[in-house]
Amino acid sequence: MIASLEYPPLQGMYAMMFALEEINENPTLLPGLKLGYHIFDYCGRPPWAPQATLSLAGGDSNTCNLTDDSDGQPVPLIIGASSTVTAEILARILGPLSVPLISYLASCPCLSNRVQYPNFFRTIPSDFYQVKAIAQLAISFNWTWIGAVIENQNYGHTAIKIFQEETQGAGVCLAFIEILTRETIVSDARRAALTIQASTPRVILVFAWYTDVRELFLQLVKINVTDRQFVASESWSTSGDILQDPETRKVASGVLGVAIRSSTIPGFENYLKSLNPFHRPSDGFLREFWEVEFGCSPDKSLQKASLSACSGTESLERVQNVFTDVSQLRVSYNVYLAVYAAAHALHSLLSCPADNSSTCSSPKHIKPTELLQHLNKVNFTTPQGEEFYFQDGDIPAKYDLVNWQNTPEGTLQLILVGHVVGFDIHLNESAIQWSTGSSQVPTSVCSENCPPGTRKSNRKGEPVCCFDCIPCAEGEISNKTGSLYCDQCPLEFWSNANQTSCVLRQLDFLSFNETLGITLTTAAVSGAVMTTAVFVVFLCYRQTPVVRANNSELSFLLLLSLKLCFLCSLVFIGRPSVWSCRFQQAAFGISFVLCVSCLQVKTIVVLAAFRSARPGAEALIKWFGPVQQRGSVCVFTCVQIIICAVWLSLSPPVPKRDLGFHGSKVTLECSMASLVGFSLVLGYIGLLAFTCLILAFLARKLPDNFNEAKLITFSMLIFCAVWVAFVPAYVSSPGKYTVAVEVFAILASSYGLLFCIFAPKCFIILLRPEKNTKKHLMTR
């Protein structure tokens, strides 16, 4: 059964006749038996096919267009159904009769259902394989934003459904799906063309019949849309009507398609060119073709008024068209295979076992059910050396990958660029000429793929392939293109500037080379120098009343301790080590206790001196003489020394990397293994300072022109204020700034003590020497 008189179906019909003649002349295949045929033209209209089917199955040859070697018997097998709709209709009609139907062009996956269509066979692979191949191409070429045009039949709807299933999860989105209906093809093609023009996808999939595709291309030409890359299904990927049409050439250039695998049939070209209606007067199809091709009628009895009679010299030898082109046989080869499959099934059915001839079937009484059984098991090698067999009515998937390329003459030619075997694709990508005219794969994306260092962020309400690229946060990286998320760097690593790799975090500590370290070092050295200068001044003027007042020995000891306070701050600067971590806290704690102890003893001396002036209290100052003063300082200091010794021996500070602070640098700091020890050191200093403040506050109003208790009160207020503020600042400061806060507190309190206590004395010694007398100091 064939469709209306078109060149490709007509060539397929003669491929069937050629195969039958080969088989009838083959001495080993069906020996002694000649095969005949009935041919019916249903003009490509599926509703007409049932009439032909029932006529063939019932043996009514009067309704057939062309009959050869038949005697009116019902045919045991039908080759036909060039569309899925026709195949479904015929398979359901023939199913109850168990008459096999072999299709050469119906490719819908739905026909693989052996429960619904147990009598259906085909020599074309299921569309599932070609759609899967197209999906693999889209994924491999990174086409994530695609448009689709499909025909309004099972072929188109099933194909696009399979495509979506195969690309699900691969980031491929369909921007639109336009549907073409055969009855309204012009308006549908115009609408689809406008959609393609207005949309952003550069790649368009088309699952439609070639006549519909040609109309779509014509509409695209009208609106000058020639920059799209079309991907063709097998239904139009080799269509000569589009390929050779000069009107659609600009649109069709670069088409990449899946095609029915091509093959050659030896001797078929000569067979076609030898056809002549004068030698085949009963062949109505050939007569009609002759009239169209040569414009004359070969049969005078049926001569049309508009046509003259043929001279008889007409020949197909020099005719070059789709009908005579056998360079790439596709559908015709499928027909050829269908005939051979039927012949081998008949051969298997009619072959008699050597030991039991009673089981032989008679050629005159072939039962369709028996032929159906043998057709399911058929397995043979074609004359071309190809192994052929059915798998539940289907054949193993084999396709060609073709490309429509421009020629120097300005035409388009079909170039083979690859093959599909089952689920495997073999593609020569360098041989493809794309719609742009180059070998560069066209880009079709909604959003450009995110580069390393960023991640995808889907846009709200849009498909998954439409996204924004968000830079990775600090400490996170993405080292590949199109990352869905950023990876967190390990604790000892941090992201580089481009957020593409994790690099080892740099060690960070308060060093002498940075601005903050230089500033603090300068302040510490300056304080030490100033303290030394005051020490020298006091040493030079040690016999003067200002220096001698209130135990000059304590003043010198106080200056020494202040100098140690300034210098101990330098131990905090630089790369922490095991010994520096231990020494810095001990030096800090002991230096400040020594300093505060001197001030406390001085304050006690002031109080004792003025209290002893009262009647009956003369002996008070004797009990707190120089020896007791020195002893008190030593006792106070030894307590701190013991605390530090116990702390540093049991749980000393150690150098440790602080990984908790996130950044490109990791802080190397002296970690307090025991907060109790550090708290005791600070607490003891605080206790002495608070006691000294109270005593100095009580002695601030004692009658003396130069009352040192006032100076100590101010200095202790500054000292306590600094260290009270130190605690929250120390706790909240990150990284190396905790060290800087402690150094600043040491320097600030040291400067406070130096200026508040010794600045007024130096002022009198150096600038007001007239006031540096015992009389002036004792004046009330």
Side-chain angles (χ1 to χ4, degrees), residues 589-752:
I590 295 171
S591 298
F592 268 92
V593 164
L594 179 61
C595 179
V596 176
S597 298
C598 292
L599 291 175
Q600 186 160 349
V601 170
K602 271 180 168 289
T603 307
I604 293 173
V605 169
V606 171
L607 282 172
F610 282 96
R611 294 292 181 187
S612 63
R614 295 179 181 181
E618 296 83 357
L620 184 62
I621 191 63
K622 296 180 180 179
W623 290 102
F624 209 73
V627 176
Q628 289 80 4
Q629 294 174 23
R630 288 193 292 271
S632 298
V633 172
C634 289
V635 170
F636 290 146
T637 306
C638 284
V639 172
Q640 184 74 302
I641 292 173
I642 293 171
I643 293 174
C644 291
V646 173
W647 174 32
L648 296 180
S649 61
L650 295 180
S651 185
V654 291
K656 185 178 179 181
R657 297 182 180 186
D658 181 14
L659 302 174
F661 176 67
H662 292 286
S664 60
K665 297 180 179 180
V666 57
T667 304
L668 183 63
E669 62 181 10
C670 291
S671 175
M672 298 297 175
S674 173
L675 287 177
V676 175
F678 184 59
S679 301
L680 287 174
V681 169
L682 284 181
Y684 184 63
I685 296 174
L687 176 64
L688 291 179
F690 183 72
T691 305
C692 182
L693 175 63
I694 297 299
L695 293 175
F697 183 78
L698 293 175
R700 74 190 189 283
K701 292 185 178 181
L702 293 177
D704 196 346
N705 198 30
F706 187 81
N707 186 358
E708 196 173 19
K710 294 180 182 179
L711 305 180
I712 296 174
T713 301
F714 286 124
S715 64
M716 283 296 100
L717 282 173
I718 295 174
F719 184 90
C720 291
V722 168
W723 287 102
V724 168
F726 160 77
V727 175
Y730 182 84
V731 172
S732 61
S733 297
K736 65 182 180 182
Y737 296 103
T738 57
V739 179
V741 167
E742 187 171 359
V743 172
F744 178 80
I746 293 172
L747 294 177
S749 56
S750 299
Y751 272 110

Side-chain angles (χ1 to χ4, degrees), residues 213-233:
V213 178
R214 183 177 183 275
E215 184 61 40
L216 172 65
F217 281 8
L218 289 173
Q219 295 297 331
L220 289 170
V221 170
K222 290 180 181 179
I223 57 177
N224 195 30
V225 177
T226 60
D227 59 344
R228 300 301 193 270
Q229 175 64 50
F230 287 92
V231 179
S233 65

Side-chain angles (χ1 to χ4, degrees), residues 131 156-166:
V131 178
H157 292 291
T158 304
I160 204 64
K161 180 182 178 182
I162 295 173
F163 180 83
Q164 289 177 304
E165 291 173 352
E166 290 298 317

Side-chain angles (χ1 to χ4, degrees), residues 238-384:
T238 57
S239 170
D241 287 358
I242 306 176
L243 193 67
Q244 298 173 8
D245 189 343
E247 293 185 71
T248 61
R249 192 170 297 151
K250 288 185 178 180
V251 178
S253 175
V255 166
L256 179 65
V258 177
I260 300 170
R261 52 83 184 271
S262 63
S263 185
T264 58
I265 303 176
F268 186 49
E269 182 177 13
N270 293 332
Y271 174 81
L272 286 179
K273 292 191 174 181
S274 67
L275 291 175
N276 195 304
F278 293 100
H279 302 151
R280 306 166 72 100
S282 61
D283 190 340
F285 293 108
L286 184 57
R287 182 179 64 251
E288 187 177 346
F289 167 74
W290 214 260
E291 291 174 351
V292 173
E293 185 65 32
F294 296 105
C296 63
S297 177
D299 191 340
K300 293 181 180 180
S301 61
L302 299 174
Q303 183 176 348
K304 298 178 182 179
S306 59
L307 297 176
S308 60
C310 292
S311 63
T313 59
E314 295 82 6
S315 173
L316 296 178
E317 287 291 341
R318 296 183 180 179
V319 174
Q320 297 292 333
N321 57 26
V322 175
F323 178 72
T324 59
D325 182 11
V326 295
S327 59
Q328 293 184 346
L329 296 175
R330 301 180 190 277
V331 177
S332 296
Y333 185 66
N334 286 353
V335 176
Y336 181 80
L337 289 177
V339 175
Y340 264 92
H344 279 274
L346 281 170
H347 183 84
S348 176
L349 174 63
L350 298 175
S351 297
C352 296
D355 57 347
N356 189 3
S357 61
S358 62
T359 60
C360 293
S361 297
S362 170
K364 295 291 185 181
H365 301 90
I366 296 175
K367 296 180 180 179
T369 52
E370 295 177 347
L371 182 59
L372 183 62
Q373 294 174 3
H374 286 270
L375 198 58
N376 274 309
K377 297 183 289 184
V378 73
N379 192 322
F380 64 95
T381 301
T382 66
Q384 288 75 25

